[in-house]
C-alpha cells in the first residue's frame, strides 16, 4: 500500500509537473482591464489597468495601488511581454474582467488579437468584450468615483440588471463561438465617455457591427435597443406613447420581458422570417391622470403599443435589409433548417412577418417581493 | 517446607517491605509470607494470624487450616515457587507449613485507588458523571451495575511476560459476534510484550493497520462502555488504567459524544452537524486556501483577492511556509497547555491567542488571514478531539500536495486520504462502516441520530454472523 501511494504520488508529480506554477498571491500584479488599440503603423498599443501591492514607507503599512501600464508591440503577445519588462512582478491576467477594443482596433480587425486571448492560459474565456469610441488614454485615466478600478466598474456595469437587459455584452467564449456560426456578423456594445455627465463617467451607448471581425458600421443607441428587443437579448425597453385621452401628454410603458419565437421558411427564392413577440408590459408613467380601469383605454393603449412596436421593428429590418447586413442571424437559422441550401446573403431576399401581442399590467401589480 | 521458605527469602532479598511472620503451632511452624506495602495487614492479622494462634495448641492439618481456621473467602492451595512469587507480588499472603510441601495463598490484596470521579476528558452537560478508575474491580462493578444481565461475561487474562497485568474481556453473550470475540482473544493472546502498563499496549496490538486514526475505541465513562457492550461490541479493561477499550470502533463514532444521547435530539443533531463541518474545515481549509492563493487566483473574488494580497504584502515567507509555521506555533501552544498544570495551561492559551497571534502579524511573520485561518482550523479540530492528531497530520500532507500542484494536487492528496480511510479496518470490520459500505446495517445512528428507541441496539448486520 505504502509503495503504491508513493508511486502514485511520484507519477502524478511527474505527469503534472507542468502545473507547478507556484506563485504567492502578493508576488503578482493583477490586471483588471485591458485596452487594445492600434497605432498608425498598425502596431498594437496595449493599456493595462493593474492592481499592485507593496509596503508603504509613508505609513509603514501594506497597501495596494492602481497602476497603468502601456506598451506597444507588433503583436498583442509582444505588447504583453513588453509590459512585463517594466513590471516588478509578472502581470497576471486571471483577474482581468474586461477587454476593450478601441474603434480603431476594431476597424483594423479584432481577429488579429483574438487568438492570444483564446490561447493564453491566464486569460479567461469569461471576460467581457467591449468596443470603445474615443481616446483610450482618456478612458484608462478616467477617475470614476463609483469604483477605483475601471475593470471592476465595467464588470459591475455590464452585469447591472438594466444594462444587461438593454444590451447584449459578449464574453470571449461567446465571440469565439459566434464567429464560426452563420455569416459572422456580430453586434457589440460600444463604450463611451459621457460628456454631459457632471463627473467622469462611462456608459454603453449603441453598438458596433462587426463583419469577419472588423467593425464596419456603428449602430445608434436607439437602434441598438430595437435590435436587442428584436433578437430577444434585451428584454427591457421603453415605449413612449401619446396619452390616450389628453392631447400633448405622454404615457410610458416598460417592456418587462418578451417571449420571442423566430422561424424561417424558404420558398421559391424567397425567405420569410417570422417573429412572434409576446411581451409583458408594465404601465410605468403617465404625464396626466389616466383611468386604467377603463377597458377601452387599456385596449387603445395595447393597440397603439403593438402597432408602434411592429412598425419600428419592420422599419429597422428594412433599414438593414437595404444595407445587406444580416444582423438578424437569418443565415444561421437557414443553415440549421436547410443544411444543403446555399444562399450568399439571404437577408436580401427575406421578408419579415411580425406579430406582436402585448399584455399590459398595472403598475400596482407585485413584480418584486422587496417592494 | 523450609526449602520453599529459603527459596522465597532468596528471591525477595533486599526488599525491605518483604515480611515473614512465623507462628509456632503444635503441628509445626507456619510461615506467613507477604509484602506489607501491597497487602492488607489488618486482614492478615484478623483473618489469618488470630485464628491460627487461637488453634495453635491443636494438631492442625493443612486441610483443616484451609477449611476451618482461616476466615477469608478466597484462598487456594499452590505448589510451585513461581506461583507463590506471583501471589506475593499481587499482594496475597502465602502460608508455608513445616510438615508439607503444599502452600496456601490467601487473598489479602490492598490496592491504593482513587475514588470514582467525573472523567476529565469526557465531561457531559447532562447524564451520568461517573468515570472509570484505575481499579479493575471497581470498573467491573460500575459496568455490572449498568448491565444486570446473566449474559454479561468477563474473561480474565494475565498478559505480560515479565510483569503480568490482569486484563478483562467483557462482552454480552449472544450479542457480540463470535468472529469478533475470537479475533480479540487471539490478538490479546499473541501480544508479545514484557509488561502491559496501560491500555495503549492493547490498542496498538488490536490496530489492524498503521494509521493516525484510532481504529480501536476507548472511553473513560462506564455508561458509554456499557452501551457499547450492549450494541454487541467487545470491551477490554486493564488493571491500572481508567480507560476501557471497545472494538470495533468506526470513523463516525468520532463525531458522537455521550451528550448526544442525553439532550434533545434536534439539538444533538445540530451539534453533530457542526462537528462534521468543523472536521471538514480543519482538514480542508488550509490546503484549499494555499491552492487558491498560490495557483488559482481566478477562483478568488477580485476584492477579496486584493485584500489577501495587501495583507501579505510585507510577509517574507511563501504562503505555505507561513501557514505551516503558524500551525507549528499553535501545536507548541497546545502542547504547552497540555503539559502544564491546568491553571498555568489556561494562562498559556490566553498568551497564545492574544499575544502570539497579534505579535506574529505585527512583526511581519504572518498575515492576519493566516492567523485567522489557523485559529479557525485549530478551533474546528477541537470539535473532534479523538481525531485531532490525525487531522493535524493529514492537513500537513494535503498542504504539501496543494503547495506543489495547486488544486490538482489537493484532489490527489484528498483521494489518497479517502483511500487510506476506506482501507482501514477495525478488528476486521471496515473503519468507514457504515459509510461507503454496501452492507445493510442495523445501526441507525449514523450522521444523525433518531429517537433513542429507534436506534438499534446492535451494530452488526443480521447476515454478518
Amino acid at each position: 500500500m505504502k509503495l503504491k501511494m508513493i508511486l502514485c504520488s511520484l507519477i502524478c508529480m511527474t505527469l503534472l509537473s507542468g502545473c507547478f506554477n507556484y506563485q504567492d498571491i502578493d508576488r503578482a500584479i493583477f490586471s483588471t482591464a485591458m485596452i487594445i488599440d492600434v497605432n498608425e503603423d498598425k502596431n498594437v498599443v496595449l493599456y493595462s489597468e493593474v492592481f499592485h501591492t507593496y509596503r508603504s514607507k509613508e505609513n509603514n503599512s501594506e497597501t495596494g495601488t492602481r497602476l497603468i501600464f502601456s506598451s506597444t508591440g507588433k503583436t498583442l503577445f509582444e505588447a504583453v511581454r513588453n509590459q512585463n519588462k517594466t513590471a516588478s512582478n509578472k502581470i497576471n491576467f486571471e483577474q482581468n474582467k474586461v477587454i476593450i477594443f478601441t474603434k480603431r482596433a476594431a476597424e483594423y480587425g479584432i481577429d488579429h488579437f483574438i487568438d492570444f486571448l483564446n490561447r493564453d492560459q491566464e486569460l479567461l474565456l469569461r471576460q467581457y468584450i467591449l468596443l470603445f469610441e474615443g481616446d483610450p488614454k482618456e478612458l484608462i485615466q478616467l477617475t470614476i468615483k463609483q469604483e477605483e478600478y475601471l475593470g471592476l466598474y465595467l464588470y459591475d456595469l455590464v452585469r447591472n440588471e438594466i444594462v444587461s437587459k438593454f444590451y447584449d455584452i459578449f464574453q470571449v467564449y461567446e465571440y469565439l463561438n459566434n464567429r464560426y456560426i452563420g455569416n459572422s456578423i456580430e453586434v457589440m456594445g460600444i463604450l463611451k465617455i459621457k460628456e454631459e455627465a457632471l463627473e467622469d463617467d462611462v456608459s454603453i451607448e449603441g453598438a458596433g457591427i462587426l463583419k469577419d471581425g472588423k467593425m464596419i458600421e456603428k449602430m445608434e443607441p436607439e437602434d441598438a435597443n430595437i435590435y436587442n428587443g428584436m433578437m430577444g437579448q434585451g428584454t427591457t425597453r421603453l415605449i413612449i406613447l401619446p396619452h390616450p385621452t389628453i392631447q400633448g401628454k405622454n404615457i410610458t410603458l416598460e417592456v418587462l420581458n418578451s417571449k420571442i419565437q423566430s422561424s424561417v421558411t424558404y420558398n421559391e427564392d424567397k425567405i420569410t422570417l417570422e417573429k412572434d413577440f409576446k411581451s409583458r408590459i408594465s404601465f410605468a408613467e403617465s404625464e396626466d391622470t389616466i383611468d386604467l380601469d377603463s377597458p377601452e383605454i387599456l385596449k387603445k393603449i395595447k393597440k397603439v403599443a403593438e402597432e408602434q412596436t411592429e412598425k419600428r421593428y419592420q422599419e429597422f429590418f428594412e433599414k438593414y435589409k437595404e444595407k445587406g447586413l444580416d444582423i438578424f442571424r437569418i443565415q444561421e437559422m437557414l443553415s440549421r433548417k436547410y443544411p444543403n441550401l446555399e444562399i450568399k446573403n439571404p437577408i436580401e431576399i427575406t421578408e419579415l412577418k411580425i406579430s406582436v401581442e402585448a399584455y399590459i399590467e398595472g403598475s400596482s401589480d407585485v413584480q418584486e417581493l422587496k417592494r | 517446607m523450609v526449602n520453599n521458605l529459603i527459596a522465597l527469602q532468596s528471591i525477595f532479598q533486599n526488599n525491605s517491605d518483604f515480611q515473614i511472620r512465623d507462628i509456632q503451632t503444635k503441628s509445626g511452624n507456619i510461615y506467613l509470607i507477604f509484602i506489607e506495602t501491597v497487602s492488607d495487614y489488618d486482614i492478615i492479622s484478623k483473618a489469618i494470624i488470630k485464628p491460627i494462634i487461637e488453634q495453635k495448641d491443636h494438631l492442625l492439618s493443612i486441610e483443616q487450616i484451609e477449611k476451618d481456621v482461616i476466615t477469608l473467602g478466597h484462598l487456594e492451595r499452590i505448589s510451585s515457587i513461581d506461583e507463590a512469587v506471583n501471589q506475593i507480588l499481587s499482594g496475597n499472603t502465602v502460608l508455608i507449613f513445616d510438615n508439607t510441601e503444599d502452600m496456601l495463598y490467601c487473598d489479602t490484596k490492598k490496592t491504593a485507588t482513587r475514588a470514582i470521579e467525573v472523567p476529565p476528558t469526557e465531561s457531559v452537560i447532562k447524564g451520568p458523571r461517573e468515570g472509570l478508575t484505575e481499579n479493575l474491580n471497581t470498573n467491573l462493578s460500575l459496568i455490572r451495575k449498568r448491565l444486570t444481565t446473566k449474559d454479561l461475561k468477563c474473561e480474565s487474562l494475565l498478559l505480560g511476560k515479565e510483569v503480568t497485568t490482569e486484563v478483562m474481556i467483557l462482552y454480552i453473550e449472544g450479542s457480540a459476534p463470535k468472529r469478533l470475540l475470537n479475533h480479540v482473544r487471539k490478538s490479546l493472546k499473541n501480544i508479545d510484550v514484557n509488561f502491559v502498563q496501560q491500555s495503549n499496549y492493547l490498542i496498538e496490538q488490536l490496530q489492524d493497520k498503521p494509521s493516525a486514526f484510532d481504529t480501536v475505541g476507548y472511553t473513560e465513562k462506564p455508561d458509554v462502555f456499557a452501551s457499547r457492550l450492549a450494541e454487541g461490541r467487545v470491551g477490554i479493561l486493564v488493571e491500572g488504567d481508567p480507560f476501557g477499550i471497545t472494538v470495533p470502533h468506526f470513523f463516525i463514532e468520532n463525531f458522537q459524544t455521550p451528550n448526544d444521547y442525553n439532550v434533545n435530539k434536534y439539538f444533538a443533531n445540530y451539534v453533530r452537524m457542526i462537528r462534521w463541518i468543523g472536521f471538514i474545515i480543519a482538514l480542508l481549509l488550509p490546503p484549499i486556501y494555499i491552492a487558491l492563493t498560490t495557483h488559482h487566483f481566478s477562483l478568488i473574488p477580485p476584492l477579496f483577492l486584493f485584500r489577501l494580497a495587501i495583507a501579505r504584502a510585507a510577509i517574507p515567507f511563501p504562503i505555505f511556509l507561513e501557514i505551516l509555521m503558524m500551525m507549528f506555533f499553535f501545536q507548541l501552544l497546545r502542547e504547552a497547555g497540555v503539559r502544564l498544570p491546568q491553571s498555568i495551561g489556561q494562562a498559556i492559551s490566553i498568551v497564545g491567542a492574544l499575544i502570539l497571534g497579534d505579535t506574529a502579524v505585527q512583526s511581519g511573520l504572518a498575515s492576519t488571514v493566516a492567523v485567522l485561518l489557523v485559529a479557525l482550523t485549530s478551533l474546528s479540530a477541537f470539535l473532534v478531539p479523538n481525531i485531532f492528531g490525525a487531522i493535524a497530520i493529514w492537513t500537513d500532507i494535503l498542504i504539501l500536495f496543494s503547495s506543489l500542484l495547486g488544486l490538482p494536487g489537493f484532489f490527489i492528496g484528498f483521494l489518497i486520504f479517502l483511500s487510506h480511510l476506506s482501507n482501514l479496518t477495525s478488528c476486521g470490520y471496515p473503519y468507514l462502516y457504515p459509510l461507503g459500505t454496501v452492507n445493510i446495517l442495523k445501526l441507525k445512528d449514523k450522521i444523525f441520530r433518531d429517537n433513542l428507541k429507534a436506534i438499534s441496539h446492535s451494530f452488526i448486520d443480521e447476515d454478518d454472523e
Side-chain angles (χ1 to χ4, degrees):
Chain A
M1 181 59 198
K2 268 184 196 169
L3 190 69
K4 277 182 195 170
M5 272 172 62
I6 293 166
L7 274 176
C8 177
S9 308
L10 284 175
I11 289 167
C12 291
M13 284 177 187
T14 315
L15 294 178
L16 297 168
S17 58
C19 300
F20 184 77
N21 53 351
Y22 183 97
Q23 186 183 21
D24 283 324
I25 198 165
D26 52 313
R27 301 282 185 267
I29 294 175
F30 294 100
S31 167
T32 56
M34 294 166 79
I35 301 178
I36 299 168
D37 193 14
V38 286
N39 60 18
E40 293 77 13
D41 304 325
K42 302 293 177 201
N43 284 334
V44 181
V45 184
L46 176 68
Y47 301 92
S48 298
E49 178 195 55
V50 300
F51 167 82
H52 171 60
T53 55
Y54 66 101
R55 188 168 174 84
S56 165
K57 281 181 182 169
E58 280 174 25
N59 49 13
N60 199 29
S61 68
E62 300 82 20
T63 185
T65 188
R66 176 180 182 262
L67 299 177
I68 294 164
F69 282 91
S70 69
S71 63
T72 53
K74 280 186 179 170
T75 61
L76 182 57
F77 184 77
E78 194 188 28
V80 171
R81 270 290 164 92
N82 288 342
Q83 240 173 40
N84 270 307
K85 284 178 185 170
T86 55
S88 58
N89 288 311
K90 188 177 173 293
I91 298 174
N92 185 296
F93 290 96
E94 282 179 64
Q95 286 290 340
N96 197 69
K97 300 293 175 195
V98 191
I99 300 165
I100 302 162
F101 292 98
T102 62
K103 194 174 167 223
R104 204 163 29 191
E107 282 167 353
Y108 175 61
I110 64 173
D111 282 3
H112 285 99
F113 320 110
I114 205 76
D115 180 69
F116 173 71
L117 302 180
N118 181 22
R119 197 178 296 278
D120 190 87
Q121 288 193 8
E122 276 182 11
L123 285 157
L124 304 178
L125 293 175
R126 58 171 185 261
Q127 296 170 93
Y128 288 97
I129 303 178
L130 284 168
L131 304 179
F132 173 67
E133 194 178 8
D135 181 7
K137 284 181 189 166
E138 201 185 331
L139 175 67
I140 202 120
Q141 285 172 345
L142 210 62
T143 311
I144 300 163
K145 286 196 176 169
Q146 292 179 63
E147 170 62 64
E148 192 183 349
Y149 292 85
L150 177 72
L152 300 185
Y153 170 71
L154 292 176
Y155 181 68
D156 289 339
L157 183 77
V158 296
R159 286 146 54 95
N160 174 330
E161 197 186 345
I162 303 291
V163 176
S164 64
K165 280 185 172 178
F166 268 94
Y167 298 101
D168 181 32
I169 311 298
F170 276 81
Q171 287 177 284
V172 172
Y173 74 90
E174 285 178 297
Y175 177 76
L176 289 168
N177 288 341
N178 287 354
R179 68 184 186 139
Y180 293 112
I181 301 171
N183 52 7
S184 70
I185 291 183
E186 306 299 338
V187 179
M188 267 183 200
I190 290 186
L191 197 67
K192 224 175 161 185
I193 297 171
K194 286 187 89 170
E195 282 158 11
E196 73 274 20
L198 297 172
E199 286 175 348
D200 286 345
D201 226 339
V202 288
S203 71
I204 298 165
E205 301 269 338
I209 301 171
L210 283 86
K211 185 164 170 47
D212 298 326
K214 287 182 180 172
M215 185 172 156
I216 50 169
E217 197 178 312
K218 193 189 161 192
M219 196 186 272
E220 290 307 315
E222 203 177 327
D223 278 356
N225 194 207
I226 292 172
Y227 172 74
N228 286 313
M230 274 187 86
M231 298 305 286
Q233 291 153 345
T235 49
T236 297
R237 201 165 63 80
L238 301 183
I239 303 171
I240 298 169
L241 302 173
H243 196 289
T245 52
I246 304 165
Q247 251 191 346
K249 302 279 182 181
N250 288 324
I251 58 167
T252 309
L253 306 177
E254 185 186 9
V255 180
L256 297 173
N257 63 47
S258 295
K259 280 184 184 168
I260 305 168
Q261 279 196 327
S262 303
S263 64
V264 67
T265 44
Y266 175 74
N267 195 11
E268 293 173 5
D269 293 338
K270 201 176 166 188
I271 299 164
T272 310
L273 174 64
E274 284 184 63
K275 279 192 176 276
D276 292 339
F277 296 88
K278 282 181 182 162
S279 304
R280 201 158 69 88
I281 294 172
S282 171
F283 191 89
E285 186 192 6
S286 169
E287 288 184 348
D288 212 322
T289 50
I290 187 164
D291 181 12
L292 285 176
D293 288 334
S294 159
E296 287 78 33
I297 291 176
L298 276 178
K299 211 173 169 182
K300 198 173 170 184
I301 294 171
K302 183 177 182 297
K303 196 182 167 201
V304 176
E306 285 173 353
E307 280 173 2
Q308 197 207 66
T309 307
E310 206 173 311
K311 191 176 161 223
R312 288 206 171 164
Y313 285 175
Q314 197 69 48
E315 283 171 1
F316 182 77
F317 180 81
E318 292 303 327
K319 186 175 168 183
Y320 282 92
K321 185 181 172 182
E322 271 177 36
K323 291 179 181 176
L325 285 174
D326 179 14
I327 56 173
F328 304 98
R329 301 199 158 271
I330 299 166
Q331 178 90 66
E332 182 189 335
M333 291 166 78
L334 216 55
S335 307
R336 288 187 200 279
K337 193 167 180 184
Y338 308 102
N340 298 323
L341 191 67
E342 281 188 18
I343 297 173
K344 203 178 173 191
N345 195 7
I347 194 166
E348 289 170 355
I349 54 164
T350 304
E351 292 297 324
L352 178 67
K353 267 178 80 176
I354 300 180
S355 118
V356 180
E357 207 172 322
Y359 297 94
I360 299 176
E361 297 177 352
S363 53
S364 58
D365 288 9
V366 175
Q367 286 156 19
E368 289 176 13
L369 289 173
K370 64 189 174 189
R371 287 179 187 165
Chain B
M1 287 294 283
V2 182
N3 289 345
N4 288 341
L5 182 67
I6 294 165
L8 287 173
Q9 273 178 324
S10 145
I11 289 167
F12 288 104
Q13 64 178 330
N14 298 332
N15 278 303
S16 59
D17 54 353
F18 177 71
Q19 298 290 325
I20 301 173
R21 172 77 160 85
D22 175 14
I23 305 171
Q24 289 182 341
T25 67
K26 203 171 178 184
S27 323
N29 282 0
I30 299 173
Y31 303 96
L32 276 71
I33 302 164
F34 56 92
I35 295 173
E36 63 180 350
T37 48
V38 290
S39 302
D40 192 331
Y41 206 83
D42 201 36
I43 291 175
I44 295 170
S45 303
K46 286 178 185 167
I48 306 173
I49 298 173
K50 192 181 169 196
I52 292 174
I53 288 174
E54 281 171 2
Q55 301 287 327
K56 70 176 185 179
D57 297 332
H58 297 93
L59 278 171
L60 295 169
S61 66
I62 187 167
E63 288 82 10
Q64 282 173 315
I65 290 173
E66 189 180 354
K67 286 177 184 169
D68 306 329
V69 179
I70 296 172
T71 56
L72 281 170
H74 187 207
L75 68 165
E76 228 171 272
R77 208 179 287 197
I78 50 174
S79 52
S80 76
I81 284 290
D82 286 345
E83 224 173 329
V85 169
N86 278 340
Q87 296 302 338
I88 292 167
L89 286 172
S90 303
N92 294 331
T93 302
V94 170
L95 274 68
I96 297 177
F97 302 89
D98 253 354
N99 52 6
T100 172
E101 281 210 0
D102 280 353
M103 296 174 273
L104 271 181
Y105 87 82
C106 309
D107 188 355
T108 56
K109 282 185 202 123
K110 179 186 77 178
T111 43
T113 182
R114 67 183 167 97
I116 296 166
E117 289 167 4
V118 177
T121 56
E122 291 174 272
S123 58
V124 289
I125 299 165
K126 191 180 157 204
R129 292 176 197 279
E130 284 175 334
L132 295 174
T133 70
E134 285 77 4
N135 187 290
L136 189 62
N137 288 333
T138 311
N139 293 346
L140 193 59
S141 75
L142 287 170
I143 289 151
R144 275 214 184 273
K145 189 171 79 176
R146 286 170 173 83
L147 292 171
T148 48
T149 165
K150 63 180 172 43
D151 293 329
L152 174 65
K153 305 292 174 192
C154 44
E155 295 176 7
S156 178
L157 292 172
L158 287 173
L159 299 181
K161 284 193 289 191
E162 276 182 17
V163 177
T164 54
T165 305
E166 191 176 2
V167 170
M168 233 170 234
I169 302 174
L170 285 93
Y171 59 94
I172 293 181
E173 201 171 46
S175 182
K178 281 177 191 141
R179 181 162 71 96
L180 173 66
L181 201 53
N182 290 337
H183 180 95
V184 173
R185 280 184 191 136
K186 200 177 157 195
S187 289
L188 295 188
K189 275 177 189 162
N190 288 342
I191 194 165
D192 185 26
V193 288
N194 288 335
F195 46 81
V196 178
Q197 292 282 25
Q198 46 180 298
S199 58
N200 217 30
Y201 284 82
L202 307 187
I203 289 177
E204 286 185 5
Q205 175 71 9
L206 288 165
Q207 290 254 30
D208 292 343
K209 286 166 187 166
S211 172
F213 288 93
D214 285 328
T215 52
V216 176
Y218 52 87
T219 180
E220 228 180 332
K221 284 176 67 63
D223 53 313
V224 174
F225 191 90
S227 68
R228 287 185 186 168
L229 293 186
E231 281 180 347
R233 287 173 221 256
V234 172
I236 302 160
L237 293 172
V238 181
E239 176 67 56
D241 196 299
F243 283 90
I245 302 169
T246 55
V247 282
H249 176 72
F250 303 124
F251 179 66
I252 55 163
E253 286 180 70
N254 296 313
F255 299 88
Q256 299 166 353
T257 66
N259 227 23
D260 291 355
Y261 308 95
N262 297 324
V263 297
N264 179 291
K265 82 167 178 181
Y266 298 102
F267 179 66
N269 287 333
Y270 171 72
V271 178
R272 265 195 195 176
M273 208 64 236
I274 290 174
R275 272 181 229 131
W276 277 98
I277 294 168
F279 165 70
I280 291 166
I281 288 175
L283 184 74
L284 305 182
L285 190 63
I288 288 176
Y289 169 77
I290 287 175
L292 294 185
T293 53
T294 59
H295 288 78
H296 310 283
F297 304 136
S298 62
L299 298 178
I300 309 173
L303 294 178
F304 186 49
L305 178 125
F306 293 172
R307 277 199 168 276
L308 287 177
I310 290 171
R312 267 199 50 84
I315 311 297
F317 308 110
I319 292 173
F320 83 94
L321 206 60
E322 179 196 6
I323 297 290
L324 285 178
M325 194 172 64
M326 287 308 290
M327 287 176 89
F328 176 68
F329 283 174
F330 167 74
Q331 293 295 349
L332 286 181
L333 269 173
R334 189 191 65 84
E335 200 58 22
V338 171
R339 299 281 161 254
L340 286 167
Q342 207 174 3
S343 53
I344 306 172
Q346 282 177 351
I348 287 285
S349 306
I350 296 163
V351 169
L354 294 180
I355 301 172
L356 198 62
D358 192 39
T359 47
V361 172
Q362 283 184 10
S363 61
L365 281 176
S367 66
T368 45
V369 185
V371 174
L372 173 73
L373 187 94
V374 173
L376 191 65
T377 305
S378 312
L379 202 65
S380 302
F382 278 137
L383 296 184
V384 273
N386 288 352
I387 47 173
F388 181 88
I391 290 174
I393 291 168
W394 275 100
T395 305
D396 287 351
I397 293 171
L398 292 177
I399 282 176
L400 199 69
F401 274 95
S402 289
S403 307
L404 287 172
L405 299 170
L407 280 181
F410 166 75
F411 288 121
I412 292 166
F414 189 58
L415 280 176
I416 292 173
F417 168 75
L418 290 181
S419 320
H420 173 70
L421 267 190
S422 50
N423 192 38
L424 289 178
T425 52
S426 175
C427 291
Y429 292 89
Y431 182 52
L432 280 185
Y433 197 74
L435 309 173
T437 54
V438 290
N439 295 29
I440 301 161
L441 294 154
K442 284 182 180 176
L443 190 67
K444 296 284 182 282
D445 181 22
K446 296 170 195 164
I447 292 176
F448 295 110
R449 89 156 171 85
D450 206 337
N451 288 327
L452 290 176
K453 65 179 179 185
I455 295 176
S456 168
H457 294 292
S458 170
F459 74 97
I460 305 295
D461 184 14
E462 280 165 352
D463 304 328
D464 199 70
E465 280 293 288

